Amino acid sequence: MSHGDTIPLHSSAQSDIDEIENLINAAPVLPARPPSPPRASIPISSTPFVPSNIPPPSYAKPAPPAPPPVAPVLPPISSAGATGARMPGISGDGFGSPPNTLTEPVWDTVKRDLSRIVSNLKLVVFPNPYREDPGKALRDWDLWGPFFFIVFLGLTLSWSASVKKSEVFAVAFAVLAAGAIILTLNVLLLGGHIIFFQSLSLLGYCLFPLDVGALICLLKNNVILKIIVVSITLAWSSWAAYPFMSAAVGPRRKALALYPVFLMYISVGFLIIAID
Amino acid sequence: MERIQPPVENYANPKTCFFHVLFKAAALAFYILSALFFNSFVIIFVVTVLLAALDFWVVKNVSGRILVGLRWWNEINEQGESVWKFECLDQESLARMNKKDSWLFWWTLYITAVAWIFLGIFSLIRFQADYLLVVGVCLSLSVANIVGFTKCRKDAKKQFQQFAAQTIATRFSSTLQSAFSVV
């Protein structure tokens, strides 16, 4: 009678409990992070409770963060920052979590941004031809450097000009800024893979040699010297911009992407030579 | 004073609030008053844009963190894609933030943007294209900060809701588990 048909109550209850436990263990699924988005959109990936160690790049828009003149102003803030960091509830190192960029003292932020500017400058202006992936240059872009270089170039040109100084400055600034944006759009429209702000940042940093050239031309007014200096600095700028731009587009479109860059730098060079 | 109803406590971070307002006010004041003193567009442009840029940095990196506990930035990840990151303090600390500080923070952001829009309209009316350039740059900086912090605040709210839902779910399942283990 009790061979196989009747199952003892004891083991059926046990198997039911096992089933329910499996369900419970499978149920709480952590909320999924939004998948990394296609290139065109701007994804929102947030880390509220997990402090991030990644140094935050500067910002979203064409403009700069912290220049050295801010340094004397900031020490009074740093004490406010430090006291703010000790407010109750803000995660501190004492709780075992890694340092939060939300609560770091202000001086750390300044130092981090400054060191980023310097490292970006070194990366771009002294390019290493044997670098393994030129497209990785300026991964953590910032726009302070380009801002300073464009303004400096505008100021130098404006200083050298004997008439219409303000127009020279405005034209130089607008041409360089708009030129950088249009060049970036050009690469994007050619189907290249670059990030908008990374490219703006790169084109701005590559103006550094031309800045040096413009400064030298300001100091010495000899035409032959100007031509030589501008040619050298122009070649340097183009050499700095070339690897990044060419890595971004496919091989058949390299010339289409690079030609406008050279054109812009050559026209800036002419502007430096011709101004008087 | 009743119409605006600012909160009653004092500022918790007076120095930060001061700097938060300082650069904005300096940029606006310099732009408006400089026409009286300086003849040169170059100086006006450079100083105004520099002050606006300093203000952008201070708001984004300092006063945003200290006054409202939010931070946003952009990164490029390993695949070469651009990712916007938002960070905020946990919910208790956010609730403990000084209301007056955050009131000042948000209102000065909005008022500055509106002021730059007005100045832009004036320079449009007067057909001064180069001053429009200055206003354009300053306006885009203000708007960038507003957009960034608003997105960050919304994202923080969403995260809190998700966290709350997850907490309820885990509590519920652990209650179930303990109920069954008693049997």
Side-chain angles (χ1 to χ4, degrees):
Chain A
M1 280 220 46
S2 59
H3 280 297
D5 341 21
T6 59
I7 305 170
L9 192 57
H10 156 75
S11 63
S12 93
Q14 185 57 45
S15 67
D16 279 350
I17 291 181
D18 282 340
E19 273 185 28
I20 294 177
E21 276 197 10
N22 286 340
L23 280 176
I24 290 176
N25 289 337
V29 176
L30 291 172
R33 285 244 183 93
S36 65
R39 201 165 294 111
S41 69
I42 295 180
I44 295 179
S45 133
S46 51
T47 58
F49 308 104
V50 179
S52 68
N53 279 336
I54 316 167
S58 312
Y59 43 73
K61 265 298 186 160
V70 179
V73 164
L74 280 176
I77 306 185
S78 66
S79 56
T83 51
R86 279 185 225 118
M87 264 171 66
I90 299 182
S91 71
D93 295 355
F95 296 100
S97 53
N100 194 346
T101 57
L102 270 173
T103 55
E104 63 181 5
V106 175
W107 188 236
D108 280 3
T109 316
V110 177
K111 274 197 297 199
R112 196 173 47 217
D113 278 348
L114 284 179
S115 65
R116 185 186 309 135
I117 297 177
V118 171
S119 76
N120 277 342
L121 185 62
K122 278 198 290 209
L123 249 186
V124 170
V125 173
F126 307 110
N128 173 14
Y130 307 109
R131 185 170 43 206
E132 58 299 336
D133 184 7
K136 278 219 187 92
L138 289 186
R139 261 293 147 83
D140 43 348
W141 51 270
D142 76 287
L143 286 171
W144 279 114
F147 173 70
F148 280 123
F149 295 145
I150 294 183
V151 166
F152 183 78
L153 192 55
L155 282 176
T156 320
L157 287 174
S158 166
W159 194 285
S160 326
S162 45
V163 291
K164 291 190 178 181
K165 287 181 185 271
S166 41
E167 278 159 25
V168 167
F169 179 84
V171 164
F173 186 91
V175 161
L176 285 167
I181 294 178
I182 292 177
L183 285 173
T184 310
L185 285 177
N186 180 38
V187 173
L188 284 174
L189 287 174
L190 282 174
H193 305 312
I194 51 167
I195 314 281
F196 183 73
F197 290 111
Q198 190 181 2
S199 162
L200 277 186
S201 178
L202 177 100
L203 288 171
Y205 272 109
C206 288
L207 277 177
F208 175 73
L210 282 170
D211 273 0
V212 172
L215 188 61
I216 298 178
C217 293
L218 173 70
L219 298 171
K220 281 268 176 201
N221 214 349
N222 185 354
V223 176
I224 308 280
L225 178 69
K226 276 192 190 179
I227 294 180
I228 297 176
V229 165
V230 167
S231 320
I232 295 176
T233 53
L234 183 63
W236 186 6
S237 282
S238 309
W239 182 52
Y242 172 80
F244 180 74
M245 286 303 207
S246 66
V249 285
R252 294 181 46 196
R253 306 214 162 139
K254 266 199 206 190
L256 279 176
L258 287 170
Y259 166 71
V261 178
F262 293 149
L263 193 62
M264 183 173 92
Y265 287 146
I266 289 176
S267 49
V268 173
F270 270 129
L271 203 55
I272 299 175
I273 298 180
I275 211 122
D276 86 281
Chain B
M1 287 311 273
E2 286 311 309
R3 45 198 156 91
I4 306 185
Q5 290 169 1
V8 221
E9 334 122 64
N10 268 329
Y11 294 105
N13 297 299
K15 277 194 211 138
T16 314
C17 292
F18 173 68
F19 279 107
H20 176 81
V21 177
L22 173 75
F23 289 120
K24 293 193 189 24
L28 280 168
F30 189 84
Y31 180 79
I32 295 174
L33 298 176
S34 61
L36 301 173
F37 302 119
F38 293 104
N39 225 350
S40 152
F41 168 74
V42 176
I43 296 185
I44 298 175
F45 182 98
V46 173
V47 174
T48 311
V49 172
L50 191 64
L51 286 172
L54 283 178
D55 163 67
F56 182 95
W57 187 87
V58 166
V59 169
K60 182 170 183 286
N61 288 308
V62 177
S63 54
R65 276 197 284 131
I66 296 180
L67 297 181
V68 288
L70 299 170
R71 190 173 212 179
W72 59 277
W73 70 91
N74 175 283
E75 266 172 16
I76 300 181
N77 62 8
E78 283 307 310
Q79 289 82 28
E81 291 170 358
S82 139
V83 170
W84 296 95
K85 294 238 162 136
F86 302 105
E87 199 178 13
C88 64
L89 292 175
D90 55 271
Q91 195 155 15
E92 296 179 9
S93 325
L94 268 189
R96 239 177 294 188
M97 282 276 162
N98 189 341
K99 293 284 184 298
K100 206 167 189 182
D101 279 356
S102 53
W103 179 84
L104 176 80
F105 179 85
W106 290 105
W107 274 103
T108 49
L109 272 180
Y110 297 138
I111 289 178
T112 317
V114 168
W116 282 117
I117 293 179
F118 270 130
L119 290 174
I121 295 177
F122 281 146
S123 67
L124 252 184
I125 293 178
R126 284 198 239 148
F127 293 118
Q128 288 167 334
D130 28 8
Y131 285 97
L132 204 56
L133 189 62
V134 178
V135 173
V137 171
C138 299
L139 186 63
S140 56
L141 288 173
S142 315
V143 169
N145 251 336
I146 292 179
V147 168
F149 276 110
T150 313
K151 277 208 168 126
C152 191
R153 192 168 55 162
K154 283 200 189 130
D155 185 72
K157 286 204 181 114
K158 199 175 62 153
Q159 285 294 321
F160 291 150
Q161 284 171 353
Q162 279 182 354
F163 184 67
Q166 184 192 346
T167 314
I168 293 177
T170 44
R171 287 232 183 108
F172 183 62
S173 64
S174 67
T175 316
L176 263 186
Q177 220 166 358
S178 58
F180 276 108
S181 65
V182 170
V183 174

